[in-house]
Amino acid sequence: MNKIIEKYDNVDYRVLSIESCKDEYDKFTKELQDRRKCGLNNEYEVFGDNIDSISIKCGFQAMTAIVLFIPYMTEEKIKFSKKSNLSSHACSIDYHLIAKNLMSNIVMDLKNEYPENNYYIQCDNGPYNERFFAIKSGLGKKSTNSTIINDVYGSYGFIGLIITDAMIKEYKTQEKHCNHCGECIKKCPSKAISSEGIDFNRCISYLTQKKKLSETEEQLLKSQNKIFGCDVCQEVCHENKNKKYSNIEDFKRDLLYNIELEDIEYLSNREFKRKFSDRNFSWKGKNIIARNISIGRGK
Ligand code: B12
């Protein structure tokens, strides 16, 4: 099994037995549900189903999670990050497509070795909380700003899950935490981060996606001039210094750093979605992206 994934040398990975973390996962998701009942969640959070109910939806009993760290930062992107109005996770073609492609290839290889088994892949969209598995498997450190920090690539990576009913030997490393230096707390433009963690309802990344903004939220967006996503807490993080760049070709090609109003104002929403169909921000639609550009320009 390890040989199969090691073939993909541009990613890091761990293998986790679902049984070994099921109770903790179910406890964690119960807490998510309770927060939701109190209205403390936001609309994009994963729902908080427990392992068994996810298994029922997927149609097989989850036994093993192969947890992948898929790095996306490149030398070129980091140079442009300050001048770009898209965050670095949105400059390449849509990471959902890149991750799905990569994981489908791994699953094809796994099927050759374990043909009888079932596989489910997830990157971002789906019922599982991905950071939980990344932390529990030791794939990355849990950090004050919430991002998962991988030892090799830092925090600039997507998490992918391959869930299967195959029993695969665990490969995990020690659970770790960042050193709480407090730099992300100090530098977060919206003061969303504290030693307790992050209040996502204040996070700039969330505000770039939120439908209706208050006057104060608009001011916050204006100060950053980002139209989709935010990278400040990762940019200031010491753990991201001297880390390896991504070698995945798909993250290096067709880079897009800025969208201006002139590029989109004459497009209908449908045309906007078609024009940017291979970008992860297209699902937000033209109006929200145009609104964010206008806010950045001071209207
Ligand atoms: C919704 C969402 C958002 C929302 C946040 C809303 C929220 N409340 O989380 C918004 C739009 C703000 C957002 C922003 C970003 N996101 Co986002 N997001 C998600 C999504 C779809 C669900 C997250 C969720 O349910 N959160 C609920 C909270 C409670 O959990 P969490 O923060 O994900 O993870 C924590 C718990 O696991 C927790 N925990 C709590 N109790 C316990 C108990 C135990 C035992 C353990 C082990 C852990 C644990 O520790 C984790 C870290 O704090 C995930 C993908 C997924 N399906 O999981 C991507 C995901 C978390 N996002 C991702 C990314 C890349 C981003 C951005 C960097 C994008 C950008 N540049 O703007 C920012 C980062 C902001 C930040 N500082 O974290 C990546 C993270 C990769 C990484 N290296 O960490 C993910 C995993 C997507 C992916 N497939 O790669 N995101």
Side-chain angles (χ1 to χ4, degrees):
M1 210 298 296
N2 291 11
K3 286 228 168 64
I4 295 175
I5 304 182
E6 272 155 22
K7 223 174 75 184
Y8 297 84
D9 57 0
N10 294 326
V11 297
D12 198 4
Y13 78 98
R14 298 289 184 276
V15 181
L16 191 64
S17 139
I18 298 279
E19 193 56 38
S20 73
C21 63
K22 182 178 181 301
D23 291 348
E24 258 181 308
Y25 189 83
D26 290 353
K27 186 167 168 266
F28 160 60
T29 52
K30 168 84 179 52
E31 280 162 21
L32 277 186
Q33 283 175 355
D34 292 344
R35 273 168 22 114
R36 183 170 289 256
K37 278 185 204 139
C38 302
L40 294 171
N41 66 305
N42 66 44
E43 67 270 35
Y44 303 122
E45 261 180 35
V46 166
F47 254 77
D49 287 339
N50 62 30
I51 295 283
D52 285 340
S53 45
I54 300 175
S55 285
I56 291 167
K57 279 185 198 155
C58 292
F60 64 88
Q61 188 63 45
M63 299 304 285
T64 308
I66 301 167
V67 196
L68 298 162
F69 194 90
I70 308 170
Y72 60 85
M73 185 50 88
T74 66
E75 206 165 355
E76 186 189 319
K77 275 196 232 172
I78 207 141
K79 282 191 198 131
F80 281 89
S81 62
K82 288 268 187 294
K83 295 180 210 140
S84 164
N85 68 9
L86 290 163
S87 92
S88 57
H89 88 301
C91 295
S92 302
I93 55 172
D94 189 344
Y95 71 89
H96 301 93
L97 303 172
I98 299 174
K100 194 173 164 205
N101 189 20
L102 179 91
M103 290 194 286
S104 303
N105 287 335
I106 298 177
V107 166
M108 265 192 326
D109 288 346
L110 286 168
K111 276 189 174 161
N112 285 330
E113 191 160 326
Y114 306 93
E116 307 298 322
N117 291 103
N118 295 290
Y119 301 88
Y120 164 81
I121 59 177
Q122 176 177 321
C123 178
D124 199 42
N125 303 319
Y128 291 104
N129 180 282
E130 295 159 2
R131 282 173 167 166
F132 176 94
F133 291 101
I135 295 165
K136 284 304 295 176
S137 63
L139 181 65
K141 292 177 185 160
K142 190 176 193 299
S143 74
T144 307
N145 67 35
S146 266
T147 60
I148 301 301
I149 308 172
N150 178 264
D151 284 346
V152 183
Y153 298 103
S155 67
Y156 294 115
F158 300 112
I159 297 163
L161 298 178
I162 300 174
I163 307 286
T164 174
D165 52 5
M167 296 279 276
I168 302 176
K169 191 168 169 277
E170 275 199 318
Y171 162 51
K172 55 181 185 178
T173 44
Q174 210 191 345
E175 270 180 59
K176 285 176 284 186
H177 202 293
C178 76
N179 65 5
H180 299 294
C181 72
E183 206 54 21
C184 56
I185 300 179
K186 263 191 258 159
K187 303 278 171 59
C188 171
S190 58
K191 302 270 169 278
I193 309 171
S194 72
S195 52
E196 306 290 300
I198 174 163
D199 173 359
F200 283 107
N201 290 319
R202 297 176 63 93
C203 173
I204 299 275
S205 178
Y206 171 64
L207 298 183
T208 61
Q209 302 191 34
K210 194 179 171 197
K211 281 205 187 104
K212 256 183 115 39
L213 297 176
S214 69
E215 192 63 36
T216 325
E217 289 171 338
E218 283 199 10
Q219 287 306 319
L220 283 170
L221 267 199
K222 189 173 169 210
S223 71
Q224 292 312 300
N225 194 18
K226 283 280 186 271
I227 62 166
F228 193 76
C230 177
D231 285 334
V232 176
C233 61
Q234 301 191 89
E235 282 164 359
V236 302
C237 177
H238 297 300
E239 306 252 11
N240 274 334
K241 296 214 169 90
N242 304 318
K243 288 286 164 25
K244 194 175 166 191
Y245 291 119
S246 175
N247 234 337
I248 299 175
E249 285 305 320
D250 280 342
F251 285 120
K252 296 183 188 170
R253 66 181 174 93
D254 300 333
L255 298 176
L256 174 68
Y257 293 110
N258 284 288
I259 305 177
E260 302 303 340
L261 219 41
E262 294 70 26
D263 301 329
I264 62 171
E265 63 190 343
Y266 296 110
L267 300 176
S268 67
N269 190 38
R270 186 186 289 214
E271 286 164 342
F272 172 89
K273 288 195 171 182
R274 198 176 310 130
K275 181 174 163 102
F276 297 109
S277 61
D278 62 350
R279 303 284 157 172
N280 68 339
F281 55 81
S282 65
W283 74 279
K284 281 319 301 176
K286 178 193 160 186
N287 290 346
I288 288 199
I289 299 298
R291 174 201 71 188
N292 295 347
I293 301 173
S294 303
I295 291 174
R297 283 183 174 187
K299 298 210 172 135

